[in-house]
Amino acid sequence: MEYAADAAGLYTPANRYNSLDDINTGIIATLTGVGAGAVRAAHKADLADWARAQQLRDHPDLAVLDADLDRIRHRS
């Protein structure tokens, strides 16, 4: 499938709220041509990024701190 990543991305909102079940893991793995472990790792990373984005949205004052920490991380 030429647009496998886009198709797999359609599952993201549901998986964030309802968790990633074995059926969706298998579908996404098939669409993207990777193993189930890679799908689960990507899902876990997405949840961490999403949680951080939600925290920054709920507390805009943390955005300045986040930008500063990113600057420090990239400097090292």
Side-chain angles (χ1 to χ4, degrees), residues 2 5 9-10 12 27-28 33 36-37 43 54 57-58 65 68 75:
E2 187 175 333
L10 295 174
T12 302
I27 291 169
I28 295 169
H43 175 65
Q54 296 302 309
R57 189 190 72 189
D58 294 342
L65 175 61
D68 193 42
R75 185 178 61 189

Side-chain angles (χ1 to χ4, degrees), residues 62-75:
L62 293 178
V64 173
L65 175 61
D66 181 59
D68 193 42
L69 292 173
D70 282 346
R71 181 186 55 77
I72 292 167
R73 182 184 68 183
H74 291 294
R75 185 178 61 189

Side-chain angles (χ1 to χ4, degrees), residues 3-68:
Y3 301 102
D6 292 336
L10 295 174
Y11 286 87
T12 302
N15 292 336
R16 284 179 180 165
Y17 291 103
N18 302 320
S19 189
L20 182 65
D21 62 21
D22 290 339
I23 293 172
N24 285 341
T25 299
I27 291 169
I28 295 169
T30 300
L31 287 173
T32 56
V34 300
V39 172
R40 287 187 191 98
H43 175 65
K44 185 176 178 180
D46 174 67
L47 288 177
D49 289 344
W50 183 57
R52 185 174 185 171
Q54 296 302 309
Q55 183 181 30
L56 291 173
R57 189 190 72 189
D58 294 342
H59 303 283
D61 53 315
L62 293 178
V64 173
L65 175 61
D66 181 59
D68 193 42

